[in-house]
């Protein structure tokens, strides 16, 4: 049996989704860079031949590459794989040193958004106007050169962490303070780039794209952007499927990814072409891809970013649920040099109902923060009370806080780190899925509070009866 070194860090595909699929392809040895649950009965552990824990000290730069290379050699790995944005570049370097397939030298263009945009501009891929900024003074100069509104963001970031919108020149100082403050200390919590140690100081500011759903969607409620999930195999891009969105909340925190995409096929094919141009320009070798694209007026498209890894949270589960396409297995087989069954053209029809992932976050669908801090408890939440007959919603266990944890108040600069977990919703069709997505996001605060009240009442009654 072939051996796989799986390098785990914060973010990426959930363990309970990834590990069974990896184990079906070979013997899995996990190198854990992030702290794992102390519970040795965790269901995902049975899929690992062994788990190598790197300890509490954060390992970065070439030392991290050395660790991955040494671990791969020790277990005799035939492939090295990982799904976290933050270790992508280190894994690419390790694979090259080991002579194994991996993202390749182009990986840096998928991580540093400054290089990414410069590469795309040279290749004619549509991107917003932008500037590199390293100081508050440079941000002020960039504001004068670009057209507001604009977005300040980290060049090596992910999950909408550390972003701020600038509408007037008076916003410069506050935006700089907000973003740099949000980035400070994130690396120590596992939300920072692990190879490029100077990454926290690399920022860019770009014009906010004038995006719209007009002329794209016939239904209201969808967001003005989407993503194409795919695999690059030996330099050839295979787009697999589009995952749609509902609108983000300020500044650009995502709430939901869903499939199938309901755009007409000619529009989906146009998205496919732009995604191909964007991925091809990065010069990647073998990796997953997640390419985010904005829908513009008059049928135009503009690329936001393209990562050399799969979409995080439960996006892979959404694609597999609807299309039957197991991207984790496809990539793993490709890395092992085995037939991967990759589609030649992007899949546009699901045929297996509809599915979405949703953030368990302290706002409603419009971004209005909750006025209470309800406690999460999967045993009593019963979120199915919020959805239509035939639909079902449940927490993604490995991405959700333990029962009894309060849902934190929403803090915009923290982006996706505001999430207390992820929910997985299935529905008979896309229309029902869209309605139920809003129903859950808008009704969850009251539902959790009601569940807590009912549980407390039941417990009190049981205590009285026991007395």
């Amino acid at each position: 049996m072939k051996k796989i070194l799986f390098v785990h860090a914060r973010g990426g595909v959930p363990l309970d989704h990834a590990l069974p699929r990896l184990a079906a392809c070979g013997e899995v040895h996990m190198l854990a860079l992030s702290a794992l649950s102390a519970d040795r009965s965790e269901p995902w552990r049975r899929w690992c031949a062994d788990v190598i824990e790197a300890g509490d000290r954060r390992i970065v730069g070439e030392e991290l590459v050395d660790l991955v290379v040494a671990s791969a050699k020790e277990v005799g790995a035939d492939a090295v794989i990982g799904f976290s944005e933050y270790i992508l570049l280190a894994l690419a370097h390790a694979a090259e040193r080991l002579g194994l397939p991996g993202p390749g030298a182009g990986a840096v263009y998928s991580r540093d958004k400054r290089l990414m945009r410069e590469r795309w501009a040279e290749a004619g891929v549509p991107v917003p106007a932008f500037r590199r900024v390293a100081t508050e003074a440079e941000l002020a100069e960039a504001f004068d050169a670009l057209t507001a509104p604009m977005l300040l963001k980290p060049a090596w970031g992910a999950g909408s962490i550390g972003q701020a919108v600038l509408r007037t020149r008076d916003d410069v100082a506050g935006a700089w303070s907000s973003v740099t403050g949000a980035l400070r200390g994130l690396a120590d919590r596992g939300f920072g780039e692990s190879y490029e140690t100077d990454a926290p100081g690399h920022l860019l500011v770009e014009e906010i794209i004038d995006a719209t759903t007009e002329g794209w969607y016939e239904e209201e409620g969808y967001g003005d952007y989407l993503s194409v999930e795919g695999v690059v195999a030996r330099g050839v891009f295979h787009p697999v499927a589009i995952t749609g969105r509902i609108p983000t909340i300020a500044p650009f925190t995502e709430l939901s990814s869903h499939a199938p995409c309901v755009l007409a096929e000619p529009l989906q094919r146009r998205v496919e072409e732009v995604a191909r141009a964007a991925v091809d320009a990065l010069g990647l070798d073998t990796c997953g891809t997640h390419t985010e694209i904005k829908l513009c007026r008059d049928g135009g498209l503009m690329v936001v970013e393209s990562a050399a890894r799969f979409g995080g949270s439960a996006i892979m589960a959404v694609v597999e649920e609807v299309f039957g396409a197991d991207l984790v297995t496809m990539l793993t087989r490709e890395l092992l040099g085995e037939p991967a069954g990759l589609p030649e053209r992007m899949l546009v029809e699901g045929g297996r109902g509809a599915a979405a992932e949703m953030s368990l976050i302290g706002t409603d669908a419009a971004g209005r923060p909750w006025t209470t801090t309800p406690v999460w408890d999967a045993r009593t939440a019963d979120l199915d009370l919020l959805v239509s007959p035939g639909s079902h919603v449940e927490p993604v266990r490995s991405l959700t806080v333990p029962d009894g944890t309060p849902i934190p108040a929403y803090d915009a600069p923290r982006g996706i780190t505001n999430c207390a977990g992820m929910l997985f919703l299935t529905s008979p069709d896309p229309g029902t899925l869209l309605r139920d997505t809003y129903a859950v996001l808008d009704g969850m605060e009251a539902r959790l509070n009601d569940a807590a009240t009912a549980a407390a009442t039941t417990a009190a009654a049981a205590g009285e009866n026991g007395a």
Side-chain angles (χ1 to χ4, degrees):
M1 178 179 286
K2 292 186 176 180
K3 297 181 179 180
I4 302 163
L5 179 68
F6 169 53
V7 186
H8 171 63
R10 185 182 289 272
V13 183
L15 291 178
D16 49 3
H17 181 90
L19 283 169
R21 290 156 180 79
L22 293 175
C25 297
E27 182 179 284
V28 180
H29 300 263
M30 180 197 287
L31 171 60
L33 303 177
S34 293
L36 297 169
S37 168
D39 183 358
R40 297 294 165 178
S41 66
E42 285 277 14
W44 56 260
R45 288 183 181 270
R46 71 178 187 273
W47 303 109
C48 300
D50 64 343
V51 178
I52 308 161
E53 299 198 46
D56 296 331
R57 184 175 65 88
R58 186 167 181 262
I59 303 171
V60 298
E62 286 297 327
E63 185 182 1
L64 176 56
V65 178
D66 292 342
L67 174 62
V68 174
V69 169
S71 300
K73 289 181 177 179
E74 183 177 348
V75 303
D78 298 290
V80 173
I81 191 169
F83 302 118
S84 169
E85 178 90 2
Y86 306 115
I87 61 171
L88 170 66
L89 197 52
L91 292 190
H93 286 298
E96 287 187 300
R97 280 172 50 180
L98 291 162
L100 296 174
V108 67
Y109 299 107
S110 77
R111 281 295 291 129
D112 186 338
K113 294 177 178 61
R114 303 167 304 172
L115 296 177
M116 182 189 298
R117 278 151 179 71
E118 290 165 356
R119 191 83 174 224
W120 283 341
E122 293 172 1
V125 175
V127 293
F130 73 98
R131 292 287 188 279
R132 294 172 175 242
V133 291
T135 65
E136 184 179 330
E138 289 185 3
L139 177 59
E141 292 174 4
F143 186 89
D144 293 336
L146 298 174
T147 300
M150 58 192 73
L151 182 68
L152 177 65
K153 62 198 294 185
W156 299 77
S160 302
I161 301 171
Q163 297 187 354
V165 176
L166 293 82
R167 291 185 169 83
T168 71
R169 208 173 192 282
D170 291 340
D171 294 332
V172 168
W176 184 261
S177 175
S178 172
V179 169
T180 55
L183 295 176
R184 198 173 298 123
L186 278 176
D188 293 334
R189 293 163 49 200
F191 289 105
E193 165 60 30
S194 293
Y195 182 79
E196 177 53 67
T197 55
D198 292 333
H202 299 167
L203 291 92
L204 71 154
V205 62
E206 62 187 9
E207 294 179 359
I208 292 178
I209 300 165
D210 182 20
T212 182
T213 57
E214 294 179 10
W216 291 93
Y217 288 103
E218 296 180 1
E219 307 87 345
E220 294 184 355
Y222 288 104
D224 59 14
Y225 74 114
L226 38 71
S227 63
V228 179
E229 322 306 333
V231 174
V232 178
R234 315 292 168 144
V236 178
F237 176 49
H238 297 263
V240 175
I242 291 175
T243 53
R245 302 291 190 278
I246 65 170
T248 59
I249 58 175
F252 286 99
T253 301
E254 298 188 63
L255 293 179
S256 177
S257 304
H258 50 88
C261 177
V262 300
L263 293 179
E265 181 169 348
L267 297 178
Q268 292 196 51
R269 294 300 177 198
R270 196 182 307 166
V271 171
E272 179 182 19
E273 291 173 6
V274 171
R276 188 181 301 280
V279 174
D280 286 350
L282 300 180
L284 301 169
D285 184 52
T286 302
C287 58
T289 60
H290 175 71
T291 306
E292 297 183 357
I293 298 174
K294 280 279 194 177
L295 309 174
C296 301
R297 301 183 189 281
D298 301 321
L301 294 163
M302 195 165 286
V303 187
V304 179
E305 60 187 55
S306 185
R309 46 86 182 162
F310 290 135
S313 57
I315 292 178
M316 292 301 97
V318 167
V319 172
E320 186 171 340
E321 175 73 23
V322 174
F323 294 97
D326 177 0
L327 275 77
V328 171
T329 296
M330 290 175 180
L331 174 59
T332 306
R333 287 178 176 165
E334 189 64 39
L335 291 171
L336 291 170
E338 299 173 353
L342 291 162
E344 292 302 320
R345 296 192 78 194
M346 189 177 71
L347 306 174
V348 297
E349 294 184 3
R352 296 174 55 165
E357 54 147 26
M358 292 179 293
S359 297
L360 177 58
I361 195 167
T363 79
D364 65 9
R368 291 182 288 262
W370 290 356
T371 58
T372 61
T373 54
V375 170
W376 170 254
D377 192 328
R379 298 165 299 180
T380 60
D382 199 5
L383 297 180
D384 276 349
L385 293 173
L386 298 173
V387 300
S388 306
S391 295
H392 174 61
V393 59
E394 62 185 12
V396 180
R397 183 175 180 274
S398 61
L399 297 179
T400 301
V401 294
D403 292 341
T405 304
I407 307 297
Y410 183 69
D411 179 17
R414 291 181 54 221
I416 202 65
T417 61
N418 285 284
C419 281
M422 298 299 299
L423 307 173
F424 193 78
L425 170 66
T426 55
S427 294
D429 58 80
T432 303
L433 182 81
L434 183 65
R435 291 191 297 273
D436 286 347
T437 297
Y438 280 97
V440 172
L441 291 169
D442 290 337
M444 190 157 39
E445 179 183 17
R447 175 71 213 123
L448 295 182
N449 282 322
D450 289 347
T453 300
T457 301
T458 301
E464 292 175 0
N465 292 335

